[in-house]
PDB file of all heavy atoms in Angstrom:
ATOM      1  N   ARG A 147    -113.682  98.283 -29.833  1.00  0.00           N
ATOM      2  CA  ARG A 147    -113.662  97.431 -28.653  1.00  0.00           C
ATOM      3  C   ARG A 147    -114.497  98.105 -27.573  1.00  0.00           C
ATOM      4  O   ARG A 147    -114.045  99.025 -26.903  1.00  0.00           O
ATOM      5  CB  ARG A 147    -112.240  97.192 -28.162  1.00  0.00           C
ATOM      6  CG  ARG A 147    -111.419  96.320 -29.120  1.00  0.00           C
ATOM      7  CD  ARG A 147    -110.020  96.086 -28.635  1.00  0.00           C
ATOM      8  NE  ARG A 147    -109.254  95.275 -29.588  1.00  0.00           N
ATOM      9  CZ  ARG A 147    -107.932  95.180 -29.583  1.00  0.00           C
ATOM     10  NH1 ARG A 147    -107.221  95.842 -28.667  1.00  0.00           N
ATOM     11  NH2 ARG A 147    -107.306  94.434 -30.480  1.00  0.00           N
ATOM     12  N   GLY A 148    -115.718  97.643 -27.443  1.00  0.00           N
ATOM     13  CA  GLY A 148    -116.625  98.234 -26.464  1.00  0.00           C
ATOM     14  C   GLY A 148    -116.934  99.677 -26.787  1.00  0.00           C
ATOM     15  O   GLY A 148    -117.406  99.999 -27.890  1.00  0.00           O
ATOM     16  N   ASP A 149    -116.641 100.551 -25.841  1.00  0.00           N
ATOM     17  CA  ASP A 149    -116.918 101.977 -26.002  1.00  0.00           C
ATOM     18  C   ASP A 149    -115.713 102.748 -26.542  1.00  0.00           C
ATOM     19  O   ASP A 149    -115.665 103.978 -26.434  1.00  0.00           O
ATOM     20  CB  ASP A 149    -117.345 102.587 -24.652  1.00  0.00           C
ATOM     21  CG  ASP A 149    -118.691 102.044 -24.184  1.00  0.00           C
ATOM     22  OD1 ASP A 149    -119.501 101.660 -25.051  1.00  0.00           O
ATOM     23  OD2 ASP A 149    -118.919 102.002 -22.963  1.00  0.00           O
ATOM     24  N   GLU A 150    -114.751 102.027 -27.114  1.00  0.00           N
ATOM     25  CA  GLU A 150    -113.539 102.677 -27.620  1.00  0.00           C
ATOM     26  C   GLU A 150    -113.195 102.185 -29.023  1.00  0.00           C
ATOM     27  O   GLU A 150    -113.629 101.109 -29.445  1.00  0.00           O
ATOM     28  CB  GLU A 150    -112.348 102.381 -26.693  1.00  0.00           C
ATOM     29  CG  GLU A 150    -112.434 102.992 -25.320  1.00  0.00           C
ATOM     30  CD  GLU A 150    -111.186 102.702 -24.505  1.00  0.00           C
ATOM     31  OE1 GLU A 150    -110.660 101.563 -24.600  1.00  0.00           O
ATOM     32  OE2 GLU A 150    -110.731 103.595 -23.781  1.00  0.00           O
ATOM     33  N   TRP A 151    -112.393 102.993 -29.716  1.00  0.00           N
ATOM     34  CA  TRP A 151    -111.701 102.572 -30.923  1.00  0.00           C
ATOM     35  C   TRP A 151    -110.222 102.443 -30.579  1.00  0.00           C
ATOM     36  O   TRP A 151    -109.663 103.303 -29.874  1.00  0.00           O
ATOM     37  CB  TRP A 151    -111.871 103.592 -32.039  1.00  0.00           C
ATOM     38  CG  TRP A 151    -113.237 103.635 -32.644  1.00  0.00           C
ATOM     39  CD1 TRP A 151    -114.251 104.484 -32.326  1.00  0.00           C
ATOM     40  CD2 TRP A 151    -113.734 102.785 -33.694  1.00  0.00           C
ATOM     41  NE1 TRP A 151    -115.354 104.224 -33.093  1.00  0.00           N
ATOM     42  CE2 TRP A 151    -115.069 103.188 -33.955  1.00  0.00           C
ATOM     43  CE3 TRP A 151    -113.196 101.735 -34.430  1.00  0.00           C
ATOM     44  CZ2 TRP A 151    -115.856 102.578 -34.918  1.00  0.00           C
ATOM     45  CZ3 TRP A 151    -113.986 101.122 -35.396  1.00  0.00           C
ATOM     46  CH2 TRP A 151    -115.294 101.537 -35.635  1.00  0.00           C
ATOM     47  N   VAL A 152    -109.596 101.400 -31.077  1.00  0.00           N
ATOM     48  CA  VAL A 152    -108.160 101.198 -30.871  1.00  0.00           C
ATOM     49  C   VAL A 152    -107.473 101.294 -32.233  1.00  0.00           C
ATOM     50  O   VAL A 152    -107.794 100.536 -33.156  1.00  0.00           O
ATOM     51  CB  VAL A 152    -107.862  99.839 -30.209  1.00  0.00           C
ATOM     52  CG1 VAL A 152    -106.360  99.680 -29.992  1.00  0.00           C
ATOM     53  CG2 VAL A 152    -108.606  99.728 -28.876  1.00  0.00           C
ATOM     54  N   ILE A 153    -106.542 102.223 -32.340  1.00  0.00           N
ATOM     55  CA  ILE A 153    -105.881 102.511 -33.622  1.00  0.00           C
ATOM     56  C   ILE A 153    -104.425 102.080 -33.573  1.00  0.00           C
ATOM     57  O   ILE A 153    -103.705 102.378 -32.601  1.00  0.00           O
ATOM     58  CB  ILE A 153    -105.976 104.021 -33.962  1.00  0.00           C
ATOM     59  CG1 ILE A 153    -107.438 104.478 -33.980  1.00  0.00           C
ATOM     60  CG2 ILE A 153    -105.314 104.310 -35.310  1.00  0.00           C
ATOM     61  CD1 ILE A 153    -107.618 105.969 -34.195  1.00  0.00           C
ATOM     62  N   ASN A 154    -103.988 101.393 -34.628  1.00  0.00           N
ATOM     63  CA  ASN A 154    -102.584 101.008 -34.776  1.00  0.00           C
ATOM     64  C   ASN A 154    -102.134 101.313 -36.199  1.00  0.00           C
ATOM     65  O   ASN A 154    -102.849 101.022 -37.167  1.00  0.00           O
ATOM     66  CB  ASN A 154    -102.392  99.518 -34.495  1.00  0.00           C
ATOM     67  CG  ASN A 154    -102.371  99.201 -33.020  1.00  0.00           C
ATOM     68  OD1 ASN A 154    -101.375  99.419 -32.336  1.00  0.00           O
ATOM     69  ND2 ASN A 154    -103.505  98.713 -32.507  1.00  0.00           N
ATOM     70  N   GLY A 155    -100.946 101.881 -36.320  1.00  0.00           N
ATOM     71  CA  GLY A 155    -100.405 102.178 -37.640  1.00  0.00           C
ATOM     72  C   GLY A 155     -99.442 103.352 -37.600  1.00  0.00           C
ATOM     73  O   GLY A 155     -99.123 103.887 -36.530  1.00  0.00           O
ATOM     74  N   ARG A 156     -98.978 103.720 -38.780  1.00  0.00           N
ATOM     75  CA  ARG A 156     -98.015 104.826 -38.895  1.00  0.00           C
ATOM     76  C   ARG A 156     -98.379 105.684 -40.094  1.00  0.00           C
ATOM     77  O   ARG A 156     -98.611 105.169 -41.191  1.00  0.00           O
ATOM     78  CB  ARG A 156     -96.597 104.270 -39.068  1.00  0.00           C
ATOM     79  CG  ARG A 156     -95.549 105.340 -39.367  1.00  0.00           C
ATOM     80  CD  ARG A 156     -94.203 104.705 -39.701  1.00  0.00           C
ATOM     81  NE  ARG A 156     -93.335 105.628 -40.440  1.00  0.00           N
ATOM     82  CZ  ARG A 156     -92.408 105.256 -41.307  1.00  0.00           C
ATOM     83  NH1 ARG A 156     -92.236 103.974 -41.572  1.00  0.00           N
ATOM     84  NH2 ARG A 156     -91.668 106.149 -41.921  1.00  0.00           N
ATOM     85  N   LYS A 157     -98.436 106.968 -39.874  1.00  0.00           N
ATOM     86  CA  LYS A 157     -98.651 107.936 -40.936  1.00  0.00           C
ATOM     87  C   LYS A 157     -97.343 108.694 -41.172  1.00  0.00           C
ATOM     88  O   LYS A 157     -96.583 108.960 -40.229  1.00  0.00           O
ATOM     89  CB  LYS A 157     -99.754 108.922 -40.554  1.00  0.00           C
ATOM     90  CG  LYS A 157    -101.108 108.277 -40.298  1.00  0.00           C
ATOM     91  CD  LYS A 157    -101.734 107.742 -41.576  1.00  0.00           C
ATOM     92  CE  LYS A 157    -103.132 107.198 -41.329  1.00  0.00           C
ATOM     93  NZ  LYS A 157    -103.796 106.757 -42.584  1.00  0.00           N
ATOM     94  N   CYS A 158     -97.097 109.052 -42.450  1.00  0.00           N
ATOM     95  CA  CYS A 158     -95.849 109.749 -42.763  1.00  0.00           C
ATOM     96  C   CYS A 158     -96.130 110.994 -43.604  1.00  0.00           C
ATOM     97  O   CYS A 158     -97.209 111.141 -44.185  1.00  0.00           O
ATOM     98  CB  CYS A 158     -94.874 108.825 -43.488  1.00  0.00           C
ATOM     99  SG  CYS A 158     -95.402 108.321 -45.140  1.00  0.00           S
ATOM    100  N   PHE A 159     -95.121 111.870 -43.671  1.00  0.00           N
ATOM    101  CA  PHE A 159     -95.207 113.126 -44.422  1.00  0.00           C
ATOM    102  C   PHE A 159     -96.378 113.986 -43.950  1.00  0.00           C
ATOM    103  O   PHE A 159     -97.035 114.651 -44.753  1.00  0.00           O
ATOM    104  CB  PHE A 159     -95.333 112.873 -45.931  1.00  0.00           C
ATOM    105  CG  PHE A 159     -94.245 112.028 -46.526  1.00  0.00           C
ATOM    106  CD1 PHE A 159     -94.490 111.265 -47.661  1.00  0.00           C
ATOM    107  CD2 PHE A 159     -92.978 111.975 -45.965  1.00  0.00           C
ATOM    108  CE1 PHE A 159     -93.490 110.484 -48.229  1.00  0.00           C
ATOM    109  CE2 PHE A 159     -91.971 111.200 -46.510  1.00  0.00           C
ATOM    110  CZ  PHE A 159     -92.232 110.447 -47.646  1.00  0.00           C
ATOM    111  N   ILE A 160     -96.639 113.975 -42.660  1.00  0.00           N
ATOM    112  CA  ILE A 160     -97.791 114.697 -42.126  1.00  0.00           C
ATOM    113  C   ILE A 160     -97.376 116.109 -41.719  1.00  0.00           C
ATOM    114  O   ILE A 160     -96.528 116.288 -40.837  1.00  0.00           O
ATOM    115  CB  ILE A 160     -98.393 113.949 -40.913  1.00  0.00           C
ATOM    116  CG1 ILE A 160     -98.732 112.505 -41.298  1.00  0.00           C
ATOM    117  CG2 ILE A 160     -99.615 114.692 -40.377  1.00  0.00           C
ATOM    118  CD1 ILE A 160     -99.688 112.359 -42.459  1.00  0.00           C
ATOM    119  N   THR A 161     -97.981 117.102 -42.371  1.00  0.00           N
ATOM    120  CA  THR A 161     -97.744 118.491 -41.979  1.00  0.00           C
ATOM    121  C   THR A 161     -98.299 118.705 -40.580  1.00  0.00           C
ATOM    122  O   THR A 161     -99.440 118.340 -40.299  1.00  0.00           O
ATOM    123  CB  THR A 161     -98.413 119.457 -42.960  1.00  0.00           C
ATOM    124  OG1 THR A 161     -97.880 119.248 -44.265  1.00  0.00           O
ATOM    125  CG2 THR A 161     -98.170 120.905 -42.558  1.00  0.00           C
TER     126      THR A 161
END
Side-chain angles (χ1 to χ4, degrees):
R147 291 180 181 163
D149 293 332
E150 293 183 321
W151 288 96
V152 181
I153 304 175
N154 281 282
R156 173 187 160 209
K157 299 290 184 176
C158 67
F159 304 153
I160 305 302
T161 300

